[in-house]
Amino acid sequence: MVVPPAKRAKYENIAGLSNQTVATATLPLEDADMDPVQEQEPSTVAADDSPLPVSTSPLDYENGIFLGPMVRIGTLPTRLLSLEYGADLVWGPEIVDRAIMGTQRRVDPRTGVIEYLKDDKQVFSCHPIERPYLVFQVGSANPEQAAQAVKIITEHDDVAAVDLNCGCPKPFSTHAGMGANLLSTPDLLCNILTAMRRAAPPHVAVTCKIRLLPTQEATIALVDQIVRTGAIECLTVHCRTKDMRPREPALLDRLRDIVDHVNATAKSLHRKIPVVCNGDCWDASVAPRIKELTGVTSTMIARGAEANPSCFRTEGNLSVPDTIAPKLIQYSLALNNPIGNTKYCLGQLAFKPSESIPKEVQLQGKTKMMPKKQLSALRSGISQAKTQEDLAKVFNIDPEHVRSQDVDAIILRDLKEALSKRARTTSGGFDGQRVGAVVGNANEGARDGTGSSGGQGAEDGHASGGGQSRATDNSPQPEWKQLLAEKIGKHIKDEKSLLYYALSTVEAQTSVHDAAKPHVRYVVHRGFVNEKRDGDASGGIAPQNPNFGSSPCLMTTTDVRTPKVQQLISQSGIRAQGTDGSHGGEGEIAWWIESAQLQFRISGTLHVLPTEGHPLRSSFPYDRLTPPRAPGSTSTEPFDWDGERSRIFNKLNPGLLASFCRPTPGSAHPNLDALDTARPKDDTSSPWPLELPQPGKEETEQQRQQLRESEKNFALLVIEPRSVDVVNLADDTRTIYELKPGQNAATGEWTKRRVVP
Ligand SMILES: Cc1cc2nc3c(=O)[nH]c(=O)nc-3n(C[C@H](O)[C@H](O)[C@H](O)COP(=O)(O)O)c2cc1C
């Protein structure tokens, strides 16, 4: 842990630079030298006394090694390199709330890079491949503005967590009340955290990074207050006080008491809030010692990664001039990182003889280090470069070749391989608990419907026999839907359970050492979009709105606070993205109809439609899923999706209506301690209503309020089918129906092919 003098000198330089660079937090990357600080206005936000929403974030902060937040350094190329070389989670650079407010979000369809732009300048950029591991750090001294920043960055589900910077000691940050100044205004600090928790969707974690206060007593009082907000999932402690310089050794010996206190307080709240140790962890080889010393299970590296992002490797650092610098240039070229930032990151890399050969080779004492002269030529090449091309030339890289390569297949290949390798191997590495992660879903688009009939004779998959059958009087339907609807109608009287089907989703990997996990549950079929039962109609089904026809999109319901919702939106492949910015998640239904000996496996995209004001509403494909217009209808009204959602909500039974106003499903039971000892008559097991009257039949103000709360948590789940696999055990046949490529499920045409059962 002793820093060699050469390294110290460099870090002092870096620290000097960091004084300036942290100041750039409000600025587009290219404008680092302008004065970034705008006065923060005092908060006018009214205190919200309602219970704080519980996070359902799947992130695992234990047993990890993380890239710390660094202004200008923690940009996309550094983060991707860090992930590639073993970081479990990566913090982005601090972005001040007002900087992200008012930005435009732009996605580059070729590279996948997501940019937040103001006046055409990049304030922040990220890539879907890092999304499960990406923490967005906010600088703020105002709960309302912090909440707005969080809403902006989580609206399209671009990050896994949001973090509050409570550690920056530089005057430009502290004079505005942000950064380390929040340490002396703990009520404001906690109000910002709770505002962030309320603003973030449940599956996005809120965390916080602090420094030590001068006394241990004050530090423990502060962390106690922070933990008791219930707002955070993890606390990072930079083990220096506000007045300490970066070159002064971190006060690691003060951390153990703090860790013990956080663990005990979190336990008393039935929570787990891991503490992450930051300060003087230079590379993965130092981490075990820090853990032993402090009692944490995770560490965070900042300056070590600034100098060499391969510092997360348990096998030792890779060579900066041979591997790291060229890779950083490649990522920057391929992903269009702003030149000023690429140059800055390259300039901060450790071009020193000791970093010119990998550590494991150094240890063998065999290889010669790169001569100083050669290294200084590289350094001066970087500082003179004016364009990405100039930078590439310094390292003999052909920029056109890099730019012509497919981002998904070639540029991100090493990163994907590294992530999937960690998924497959249990590391015997530095803590023996790292299990590995899985690559994201970047290839989803490749499977998109085409060419799958493979010579098996695809036919028209619409209901046949005297033209097209109709589910309602005004709409032709695919054959599989006709078959399903017919069997439901025929057998529902004798087989009540046929209205339940199993719905599976995929939970994204929660750390780079984990794998994606399937989840299955039974849900109730709530009909097809715009269909209602009507005894007088032919086939017993009539359109809810006669200006529209039937749709083969299925409906069920969900609670917006459940993990299912987060699984849906986090597993959104390219295939599930609409041109209107909508995106759903991957899902599959397995539906067994015993009386007919039929299994339907319906694969497709799942879309959540919550009530007004919920951030997920912007992901719903309102137009694409609109049912076909009824023949002869001259109406131009849009389909009333909210009417459809309310219709299903109003029909829920009293027990289900009440279930939506309980605390978050799956969260700790509020009467946990009393449950085992309660007598049968003690009402401890359900301190919430068991039934609610249907809307319009409320008898008390309390019921009205509870129903409002239920509706707020209720969402319609619409399943947009893409392929349907029907197995008929009675006839021993199997038929696969597929939506024709490029068509949408609400109105599109289907193919049909028979396969071996
Ligand atoms: C260049 C640079 C930029 C930094 N920017 C931030 C920042 O944006 N937010 C933050 O919380 N800390 C920031 N820090 C502090 C680091 O995250 C970290 O707390 C500190 O460097 C101690 O960790 P280390 O010893 O591993 O470097 C920055 C540090 C450096 C060197």
Side-chain angles (χ1 to χ4, degrees):
M1 229 162 52
V2 176
V3 185
K7 209 165 188 173
R8 271 194 213 160
K10 169 158 177 76
Y11 291 133
E12 280 167 31
N13 272 341
I14 293 170
L17 276 168
S18 77
N19 297 358
Q20 301 162 5
T21 54
V22 176
T24 65
T26 55
L27 289 176
L29 295 172
E30 302 278 17
D31 278 355
D33 295 325
M34 283 159 51
D35 177 12
V37 179
Q38 299 164 8
E39 284 298 329
Q40 300 284 314
E41 280 153 23
S43 168
T44 53
V45 76
D48 183 348
D49 293 334
S50 61
L52 198 63
V54 175
S55 174
T56 53
S57 163
L59 281 191
D60 183 359
Y61 290 95
E62 291 190 293
N63 305 308
I65 185 160
F66 308 143
L67 170 70
M70 282 181 284
V71 165
R72 292 195 83 186
I73 295 293
T75 46
L76 185 56
T78 306
R79 296 198 304 267
L80 297 187
L81 281 172
S82 301
L83 279 173
E84 185 170 332
Y85 294 123
D88 296 299
L89 295 175
V90 288
W91 264 245
E94 179 200 47
I95 306 284
V96 169
D97 48 20
R98 296 248 285 247
I100 200 81
M101 285 158 63
T103 50
Q104 300 282 322
R105 181 179 182 273
R106 183 172 73 188
V107 182
D108 180 338
R110 195 184 62 79
T111 60
V113 172
I114 300 155
E115 288 182 293
Y116 286 83
L117 301 159
K118 207 181 255 180
D119 300 329
D120 260 356
K121 293 206 169 126
Q122 193 187 83
V123 174
F124 180 68
S125 74
C126 54
H127 192 277
I129 194 162
E130 58 170 345
R131 190 259 164 229
Y133 325 107
L134 178 56
V135 184
F136 178 84
Q137 194 189 54
V138 187
S140 184
N142 179 313
E144 276 170 335
Q145 289 177 197
Q148 283 191 46
V150 167
K151 280 188 181 153
I152 290 166
I153 200 69
T154 56
E155 186 181 349
H156 294 275
D157 206 40
D158 289 334
V159 301
V162 286
D163 183 69
L164 179 65
N165 180 353
C166 312
C168 180
K170 305 299 170 200
F172 60 80
S173 182
T174 51
H175 102 266
M178 296 182 287
N181 250 22
L182 289 174
L183 300 173
S184 44
T185 51
D187 290 346
L188 176 61
L189 188 164
C190 291
N191 284 343
I192 298 175
L193 287 175
T194 50
M196 288 169 70
R197 182 61 277 158
R198 286 186 200 285
H203 67 283
V204 173
V206 173
T207 62
C208 159
K209 177 168 176 272
I210 62 167
R211 281 189 175 227
L212 298 173
L213 285 167
T215 68
Q216 191 72 340
E217 205 185 352
T219 313
I220 288 187
L222 175 72
V223 298
D224 189 83
Q225 189 176 348
I226 292 174
V227 168
R228 287 184 192 283
T229 59
I232 61 163
E233 306 304 306
C234 156
L235 175 74
T236 305
V237 182
H238 176 189
C239 297
R240 287 188 178 85
T241 60
K242 187 177 149 192
D243 296 329
M244 284 172 74
R245 302 283 302 155
R247 66 171 172 274
E248 292 179 70
L251 306 175
L252 297 173
D253 55 336
R254 279 187 53 185
L255 194 57
R256 184 170 282 276
D257 284 351
I258 295 167
V259 173
D260 289 348
H261 187 87
V262 171
N263 287 346
T265 311
K267 195 169 173 207
S268 73
L269 301 168
H270 309 294
R271 302 278 311 274
K272 198 184 236 183
I273 300 179
V275 176
V276 176
C277 176
N278 171 236
D280 292 348
C281 182
W282 296 103
D283 57 38
S285 70
V286 184
R289 174 78 189 107
I290 290 185
K291 292 179 188 181
E292 204 181 300
L293 196 70
T294 61
V296 300
T297 64
S298 297
T299 54
M300 173 184 275
I301 307 182
R303 289 167 298 166
E306 178 185 39
N308 188 334
S310 70
C311 63
F312 301 97
R313 279 166 42 99
T314 48
E315 308 87 341
N317 290 2
L318 294 171
S319 157
V320 167
D322 287 342
T323 308
I324 302 302
K327 275 219 142 191
L328 196 137
I329 292 175
Q330 270 204 359
Y331 275 137
S332 301
L333 279 167
L335 304 176
N336 285 327
N337 194 52
I339 164 76
N341 180 254
T342 306
K343 195 173 152 176
Y344 182 77
C345 293
L346 280 169
Q348 298 307 111
L349 290 177
F351 282 94
K352 292 182 307 194
S354 61
E355 296 282 345
S356 67
I357 48 168
K359 270 221 176 103
E360 66 260 37
V361 182
Q362 283 177 42
L363 291 175
Q364 292 161 13
K366 286 180 192 158
T367 309
K368 272 198 171 161
M369 295 182 185
M370 192 177 273
K372 279 192 179 158
K373 224 170 152 185
Q374 209 175 329
L375 288 167
S376 85
L378 291 176
R379 270 199 301 262
S380 73
I382 293 169
S383 69
Q384 282 161 21
K386 298 222 165 7
T387 60
Q388 299 274 20
E389 285 70 17
D390 295 343
L391 284 175
K393 213 162 145 196
V394 177
F395 291 88
N396 295 324
I397 293 170
D398 175 0
E400 286 321 308
H401 177 66
V402 174
R403 288 195 184 108
S404 68
Q405 286 177 319
D406 186 274
V407 170
D408 194 39
I410 311 287
I411 300 293
L412 297 177
R413 186 178 51 201
D414 288 354
L415 171 56
K416 285 186 188 179
E417 264 174 25
L419 293 172
S420 69
K421 200 161 152 202
R422 273 184 269 164
R424 292 193 300 269
T425 50
T426 302
S427 158
F430 65 88
D431 56 23
Q433 293 182 52
R434 307 177 66 175
V435 184
V438 135
V439 188
N441 49 10
N443 289 325
E444 297 283 89
R447 283 188 277 139
D448 202 352
T450 44
S452 51
S453 50
Q456 294 183 51
E459 306 163 22
D460 176 8
H462 278 249
S464 57
Q468 305 217 314
S469 294
R470 287 161 197 275
T472 61
D473 265 355
N474 57 9
S475 183
Q477 293 297 296
E479 188 179 272
W480 64 264
K481 189 209 152 183
Q482 197 68 26
L483 184 66
L484 180 59
E486 183 203 311
K487 298 299 175 197
I488 294 174
K490 186 167 167 197
H491 297 292
I492 182 71
K493 277 210 182 94
D494 314 317
E495 193 187 336
K496 291 272 181 280
S497 63
L498 67 70
L499 284 186
Y500 301 93
Y501 52 74
L503 175 73
S504 72
T505 51
V506 187
E507 179 188 343
Q509 60 275 39
T510 55
S511 83
V512 289
H513 309 298
D514 201 358
K517 298 175 203 74
H519 289 282
V520 188
R521 78 287 285 159
Y522 283 95
V523 295
V524 181
H525 174 56
R526 303 274 169 196
F528 292 90
V529 172
N530 198 39
E531 280 189 5
K532 65 173 183 190
R533 279 201 224 155
D534 181 344
D536 296 336
S538 68
I541 298 284
Q544 171 66 22
N545 177 343
N547 284 320
F548 294 90
S550 278
S551 152
C553 295
L554 301 96
M555 295 187 292
T556 183
T557 63
T558 190
D559 186 316
V560 285
R561 302 166 298 168
T562 58
K564 185 185 351 170
V565 170
Q566 127 221 167
Q567 285 151 23
L568 295 182
I569 51 179
S570 65
Q571 288 299 286
S572 178
I574 290 168
R575 179 174 55 194
Q577 317 264 337
T579 47
D580 52 359
S582 64
H583 57 275
E586 294 297 302
E588 189 171 82
I589 290 171
W591 201 341
W592 172 240
I593 299 182
E594 170 76 18
S595 316
Q597 293 286 292
L598 281 172
Q599 176 192 263
F600 290 82
R601 237 174 40 189
I602 304 174
S603 319
T605 310
L606 278 51
H607 302 278
V608 183
L609 180 63
T611 39
E612 202 83 48
H614 193 281
L616 281 180
R617 277 178 74 91
S618 63
S619 306
F620 192 83
Y622 298 90
D623 288 341
R624 195 171 80 243
L625 293 194
T626 288
R629 293 265 166 200
S633 165
T634 51
S635 160
T636 52
E637 61 175 330
F639 185 67
D640 180 9
W641 278 107
D642 277 318
E644 197 71 347
R645 186 182 46 72
S646 303
R647 173 168 80 97
I648 304 297
F649 179 75
N650 294 344
K651 280 199 310 194
L652 297 182
N653 69 36
L656 253 168
L657 280 172
S659 74
F660 284 98
C661 74
R662 290 177 189 174
T664 303
S667 60
H669 197 289
N671 292 344
L672 204 57
D673 297 335
L675 290 180
D676 290 342
T677 51
R679 287 177 308 232
K681 280 194 170 169
D682 294 345
D683 191 15
T684 51
S685 63
S686 48
W688 40 70
L690 295 178
E691 294 197 340
L692 279 178
Q694 279 168 327
K697 296 187 183 153
E698 309 91 328
E699 284 164 6
T700 62
E701 182 51 31
Q702 190 189 23
Q703 286 182 338
R704 250 183 291 281
Q705 264 182 21
Q706 287 166 334
L707 266 180
R708 269 199 297 275
E709 178 65 18
S710 285
E711 189 160 9
K712 205 174 91 196
N713 294 326
F714 169 87
L716 191 65
L717 189 61
V718 178
I719 297 136
E720 181 186 10
R722 186 175 51 245
S723 84
V724 181
D725 180 343
V726 183
V727 176
N728 185 330
L729 284 196
D731 297 349
D732 197 21
T733 60
R734 183 169 173 188
T735 311
I736 293 180
Y737 298 87
E738 283 170 322
L739 189 63
K740 287 190 178 168
Q743 306 215 0
N744 86 58
T747 54
E749 295 178 347
W750 292 74
T751 61
K752 160 186 175 183
R753 62 196 160 94
R754 286 283 295 274
V755 295
V756 179

